[in-house]
Amino acid sequence: MAMTIKVYEVDREGRTQVIRPESEVTPLKEPEYSHAFPACKCHICIEGMS
């Protein structure tokens, strides 16, 4: 069973901007269990680390 995802951001005034258009994704058969959050992979965090 496929799912769709659309990534967008909302500013303080409530305006939305699409970051990634809607696309189809395949969910994992088994979720990855962990008590820790994964490291952020956004461009802001990655560029800030170097």
Side-chain angles (χ1 to χ4, degrees):
M1 177 173 103
M3 299 170 53
T4 59
I5 187 169
K6 181 179 181 178
V7 181
Y8 61 95
E9 66 181 11
V10 181
D11 66 12
R12 293 180 190 187
E13 286 77 37
R15 295 178 298 230
T16 60
Q17 177 181 349
V18 175
I19 304 299
R20 261 189 248 156
E22 190 172 298
S23 61
E24 194 169 289
V25 295
T26 304
L28 297 173
K29 292 182 188 210
E30 284 291 320
E32 299 172 7
Y33 293 102
S34 173
H35 294 288
F37 288 106
C40 183
K41 295 181 182 176
C42 77
H43 71 279
I44 296 168
C45 291
I46 290 174
E47 290 171 5
M49 291 179 176
S50 52

